[in-house]
Amino acid sequence: MTRKRVLTIENLTFGYTRHALLYSNFSLSLYEGEIVTILGPSGSGKSTLFELIAGNIKPMEGYIKKERFSQVFQDPYTSFHPTYTIKNQIEDVADVSNMDQLCKEMGVEPSLFEKRPHELSGGQLQRASIIRALLMKPKLLLADEPTSALDNLIQLDVMKLLLRTLGQVGILMITHDRDLAKWCSDRIIEIG
Ligand code: ADP
Ligand code: MG
């Protein structure tokens, strides 16, 4: 069976200034069902790579082709608006008709989503953000340090939930955490 390629990056070159390039001739292919991790220290250009993939900034050279994508961000509290319920905010961007079903499959209590963000723990909220991302029916999931704002014990649970989405998507994750990268990745690409 041939797997679908969900992200192609070819010969990407980018820096905010010409004399400080973050990547030069960087290439990467990602397939559905695969988790690839970009590993690099703070300031090495990991978040910038996602900005380039999302199309928010343009490469200097090279080419990026992607399937439909959604994102999980580092800080779950800033990725939801504080005054509306989680469910309201998911409804704004995705079809929630099978939200409860997905929650059950993912082992998340659906009634949590009737609450506002500050009523949930960081781990619960990051689970909600993974479910929101999945309900947007992406082929590609971009996860920027998805567990780094969480307690150690919760990190593992949230990471396991993210890995359970792999049946439906390809995941590109970025982290500075080498142990996490080794534990969960099909491939690791080091930058910086
Ligand atoms: P990482 O996510 O790996 O910590 P970033 O992609 O956020 O790294 O940043 C890479 C480098 O680019 C850093 O030196 C950062 O200061 C710089 N940088 C990030 N965003 C901008 C911007 N909008 N304009 C200029 N420089 C930036
Ligand atoms: Mg970053």
Side-chain angles (χ1 to χ4, degrees):
M1 196 181 84
T2 53
R3 287 195 297 171
K4 193 174 175 62
R5 197 195 292 212
V6 296
L7 175 67
T8 309
I9 300 177
E10 270 174 24
N11 299 316
L12 175 69
T13 297
F14 181 81
Y16 290 99
T17 60
R18 289 247 161 224
H19 57 266
L21 294 181
L22 292 168
Y23 353 87
S24 176
N25 279 310
F26 177 82
S27 298
L28 163 70
S29 294
L30 177 69
Y31 293 82
E32 66 184 3
E34 183 178 50
I35 174 165
V36 172
T37 300
I38 308 286
L39 177 67
S42 179
S44 59
K46 302 186 298 300
S47 296
T48 300
L49 184 63
F50 276 13
E51 294 290 312
L52 285 156
I53 294 170
N56 299 332
I57 49 179
K58 297 273 166 268
M60 284 173 170
E61 307 278 349
Y63 145 99
I64 299 174
K65 181 172 180 286
K66 66 194 180 278
E67 295 296 316
R68 185 181 167 87
F69 73 98
S70 59
Q71 287 181 268
V72 175
F73 299 97
Q74 180 169 9
D75 179 355
Y77 289 99
T78 58
S79 56
F80 286 95
H81 193 286
T83 55
Y84 303 99
T85 67
I86 306 295
K87 188 175 179 188
N88 281 161
Q89 300 186 55
I90 296 181
E91 277 168 349
D92 284 346
V93 293
D95 175 7
V96 293
S97 51
N98 63 352
M99 186 174 80
D100 287 5
Q101 178 62 30
L102 182 64
C103 284
K104 283 186 186 122
E105 284 167 24
M106 292 274 171
V108 172
E109 179 49 58
S111 64
L112 278 180
F113 291 13
E114 306 290 341
K115 299 184 178 200
R116 292 183 175 74
H118 66 272
E119 300 176 277
L120 273 62
S121 69
Q124 289 171 329
L125 205 51
Q126 198 61 309
R127 288 182 182 85
S129 126
I130 290 167
I131 286 173
R132 173 177 61 183
L134 213 53
L135 286 168
M136 293 166 80
K137 300 210 182 313
K139 290 288 175 200
L140 169 67
L141 199 63
L142 301 176
D144 186 347
E145 306 262 8
T147 62
S148 67
L150 307 175
D151 295 345
N152 275 343
L153 277 172
I154 308 297
Q155 278 193 5
L156 189 62
D157 280 351
V158 169
M159 208 51 230
K160 282 181 182 162
L161 184 62
L162 196 61
L163 293 174
R164 283 177 69 175
T165 69
L166 273 175
Q168 300 167 55
V169 298
I171 301 177
L172 186 64
M173 181 173 79
I174 57 188
T175 185
H176 63 272
D177 183 337
R178 185 173 298 273
D179 291 335
L180 175 70
K182 278 189 185 161
W183 173 70
C184 70
S185 310
D186 293 314
R187 274 184 291 141
I188 297 175
I189 297 164
E190 290 203 47
I191 63 169

